Amino acid sequence: MKVLSFCHSSRACFPLSGFIIFFFTCYVHRMESAKFTVIGPSDSVTAILGQETVLPCHLSPSMSAANMEVRWFRSEFASFVHLYLDGKDQYEGQRPEYHRRTELLKAGLGDGIVPLRILNIRQADEGRYLCFVQDDTFYGETVLELRVAGLGSAPLISVEGHQDGGIRVVCLSAGWYPEPEVLWKDLSGRDLPSLSETTSRGDNDLFETESAIVVKKHSNQNLSCCIRNTVLNQEKESAVYIADFFFPRANPWMVALSVILVVLFGFIGLTVYQFKTKGKLNEEIGKRDIEIEKRDNEIRWRRSVAPIEEANVTLDPDTAHPQLVLSEDQKSVRREDRCQDLPDNPERFDIWGCVLGCEGFTAGRHCWEVEVGAGERWAVGVARESVSRKGEITRSPEGGIWAVERWGDQFQALSSPVTPLPLSRAPSRIRVCLDCDRGQVTFIDAGDEAPIFTFPPGSVPGERIRPWLWVGPESQLRLCP
């Protein structure tokens, strides 16, 4: 029996059945080698506002994705969050809100590991993400959920007066996401019922909460206000003790004493009226004593919060605006009219005349001094490492900057909104005190050690913080050794 075969010219002949088997084997091998499954996390990923997060994704079985298309997107396939194609990242068509904020981590590409890093997490980043991987005609995808959360400020407890035979105590806190849980607790940690609770959204769309409780005498005078983020399972707590003399008293002896006090104060009023001139003099002396005591308290307060570690800060030339000229020791900076020919690297400020310190801090207490001289346009403070460098920047805590500023005849703290400061108090040398553990920044006049301004505890996020300077025209700043 003959076997049907293909022959052409003088070339060798191949059996038809062998050719079909060879072709089918190669095709099946090619199809099998291309098959994979895209796998993401089984639970949602939680990220903290202002920090970075990584969305995990990988192929199974493990295979190289270096020559595949890796596309991260949300609702629209074409408008992507991040795209890796033809062996490199592609940015044309990227959603504008993710510009300069995404990165495909390529260390594990050879094993099919394709996670996405997102910087400077915002509330709008919350929601569904799709990880799509394609190799020729075969593709796979998986869906994962990103949850965003933020820790607000430490609770501020205040006593507002008498109510219902007790003391009305109010707890305030802001900067939370999502809506936090507010708990009052006694000394033993047991929950106490609140009188009222109000939650609202601030200008930055984060939650602000206010809760009130009435404290009765001899009942839970030691209490604390606890604000909890249920997503992060983290909380911030402040405590207070209400002393006995704050509570209202009503007994015959107190009534008699009140009558006596009324008569006594009436007599004192007549005496003061008769000795008006002497009274005014005593009043001036009293005011002076109060000012002296206040000043002493401020100095004692400053010493109690002053950082332990003296930081030797230098300026980072890779972040300096092209108009800024740094000294050789990277300790001083001045501004010139024309730009230098410097590479436009991602770390460099391109519009505002800013520069960051080389050093970054994540824990502990640190301080350094900046000499501003007689310049009339400058700003001194700190910034988070992920602060925006390109285009217009927001010089406030919302933009990742905590600083004080001199702008002509205005001296102010760059809070939100800005806090005017007395121009007469504008110093020539400023001491910057950063407490990473409390999330607090304090500015002190290095000349007389008087406090200038303090951003409240919890206002600085728990991420890497670096010294920050803005140098205006005709100004020169120097870091003191």
Side-chain angles (χ1 to χ4, degrees):
M1 180 178 177
K2 293 183 177 181
V3 179
L4 183 62
S5 62
F6 285 114
C7 296
H8 185 270
S9 184
S10 60
R11 297 180 181 179
C13 298
F14 296 96
L16 177 60
S17 59
F19 178 80
I20 293 174
I21 292 172
F22 174 78
F23 176 81
F24 182 75
T25 302
C26 291
Y27 177 79
V28 170
H29 177 73
R30 176 181 176 86
M31 291 300 294
E32 287 296 327
S33 65
K35 287 185 178 179
F36 54 83
T37 302
V38 182
I39 299 177
S42 57
D43 298 323
S44 60
V45 177
T46 301
I48 299 177
L49 284 171
Q51 299 188 19
E52 65 178 54
T53 193
V54 174
L55 305 182
C57 181
H58 68 275
L59 305 182
S60 180
S62 176
M63 64 180 67
S64 176
N67 297 317
M68 298 184 185
E69 174 185 342
V70 180
R71 181 186 297 259
W72 283 88
F73 65 98
R74 299 192 68 175
S75 57
E76 299 180 10
F77 184 83
S79 180
F80 54 83
V81 174
H82 193 92
L83 175 62
Y84 173 84
L85 183 62
D86 297 331
K88 60 182 180 180
D89 297 313
Q90 308 287 341
Y91 295 103
E92 184 176 354
Q94 184 185 32
R95 294 175 61 150
E97 63 268 30
Y98 290 96
H99 184 55
R100 295 183 182 274
R101 295 178 53 229
T102 61
E103 178 188 4
L104 186 73
L105 301 182
K106 303 180 181 64
L109 269 178
D111 298 320
I113 303 173
V114 290
L116 178 69
R117 175 190 290 167
I118 304 178
L119 305 175
N120 191 17
I121 291 295
R122 308 168 181 172
Q123 286 177 247
D125 296 336
E126 190 170 58
R128 286 198 337 154
Y129 288 77
L130 287 88
C131 177
F132 173 91
V133 183
Q134 181 172 351
D135 182 22
D136 293 332
T137 59
F138 187 85
Y139 67 89
E141 64 181 25
T142 187
V143 180
L144 61 148
E145 187 81 15
L146 175 63
R147 301 186 68 184
V148 175
L151 287 175
S153 61
L156 176 63
I157 300 178
S158 59
V159 176
E160 293 198 343
H162 297 145
Q163 181 175 337
D164 301 333
I167 300 294
R168 177 183 172 89
V169 182
V170 176
C171 176
L172 299 171
S173 185
W176 295 84
Y177 187 82
E179 183 176 344
E181 180 183 23
V182 184
L183 297 173
W184 289 96
K185 298 180 180 180
D186 62 13
L187 188 61
S188 303
R190 293 172 299 190
D191 293 344
L192 301 174
S194 61
L195 178 67
S196 63
E197 187 173 317
T198 304
T199 304
S200 60
R201 293 231 180 175
D203 296 336
N204 53 8
D205 211 30
L206 301 180
F207 285 95
E208 302 174 354
T209 183
E210 176 179 330
S211 180
I213 190 173
V214 173
V215 181
K216 300 296 181 68
K217 188 176 181 181
H218 305 310
S219 174
N220 303 319
Q221 291 178 234
N222 282 289
L223 74 158
S224 63
C225 177
C226 176
I227 314 292
R228 173 183 290 274
N229 186 306
T230 55
V231 174
L232 299 174
N233 196 27
Q234 297 183 31
E235 61 186 34
K236 291 190 176 183
E237 185 175 11
S238 296
V240 67
Y241 172 73
I242 310 298
D244 290 343
F245 63 81
F246 280 106
F247 291 91
R249 301 174 181 177
N251 57 61
W253 289 105
M254 290 302 298
V255 173
L257 180 59
S258 299
V259 174
I260 294 172
L261 288 175
V262 169
V263 174
L264 179 59
F265 281 121
F267 176 78
I268 293 175
L270 291 174
T271 304
V272 171
Y273 177 77
Q274 292 173 355
F275 297 96
K276 187 175 182 181
T277 304
K278 184 177 179 180
K280 286 184 178 180
L281 179 61
N282 290 336
E283 182 180 355
E284 291 299 325
I285 295 174
K287 287 182 178 179
R288 187 185 64 183
D289 292 341
I290 291 173
E291 289 297 326
I292 293 174
E293 183 180 358
K294 181 179 179 181
R295 177 67 173 274
D296 291 342
N297 289 337
E298 288 178 344
I299 294 175
R300 285 194 295 270
W301 170 83
R302 188 207 68 79
R303 290 172 178 167
S304 69
V305 302
I308 297 173
E309 181 179 346
E310 294 284 345
N312 182 21
V313 176
T314 55
L315 300 176
D316 185 354
D318 292 335
T319 66
H321 185 274
Q323 285 183 282
L324 300 185
V325 179
L326 274 60
S327 62
E328 291 186 5
D329 62 358
Q330 298 177 206
K331 283 287 190 177
S332 64
V333 56
R334 71 177 190 275
R335 183 165 178 168
E336 294 190 345
D337 294 335
R338 63 177 62 179
C339 292
Q340 304 172 84
D341 185 15
L342 298 173
D344 185 22
N345 51 289
E347 297 85 6
R348 191 179 306 283
F349 291 93
D350 64 352
I351 291 185
W352 284 85
C354 304
V355 60
L356 294 177
C358 294
E359 294 71 22
F361 309 103
T362 57
R365 297 189 293 175
H366 312 270
C367 67
W368 59 93
E369 292 185 7
V370 182
E371 187 175 290
V372 298
E376 295 187 352
R377 291 191 180 182
W378 49 262
V380 173
V382 299
R384 60 189 178 199
E385 191 166 55
S386 60
V387 66
S388 177
R389 318 287 174 86
K390 305 300 182 182
E392 291 292 336
I393 63 176
T394 302
R395 300 186 307 157
S396 69
E398 287 74 14
I401 294 173
W402 296 262
V404 292
E405 174 189 73
R406 171 80 183 270
W407 189 292
D409 59 354
Q410 293 182 344
F411 183 42
Q412 57 194 9
L414 297 180
S415 52
S416 183
V418 297
T419 302
L421 302 172
L423 185 61
S424 59
R425 294 296 302 153
S428 61
R429 198 167 82 252
I430 296 177
R431 186 178 180 88
V432 184
C433 301
L434 171 64
D435 190 334
C436 297
D437 300 328
R438 297 188 67 194
Q440 177 176 308
V441 184
T442 299
F443 299 90
I444 298 168
D445 187 336
D448 58 10
E449 296 192 341
I452 298 172
F453 185 80
T454 298
F455 286 88
S459 60
V460 181
E463 65 174 274
R464 188 176 176 86
I465 301 298
R466 297 170 67 177
W468 174 86
L469 302 177
W470 171 72
V471 186
E474 302 179 359
S475 293
Q476 179 171 341
L477 306 183
R478 185 175 70 89
L479 294 166
C480 301

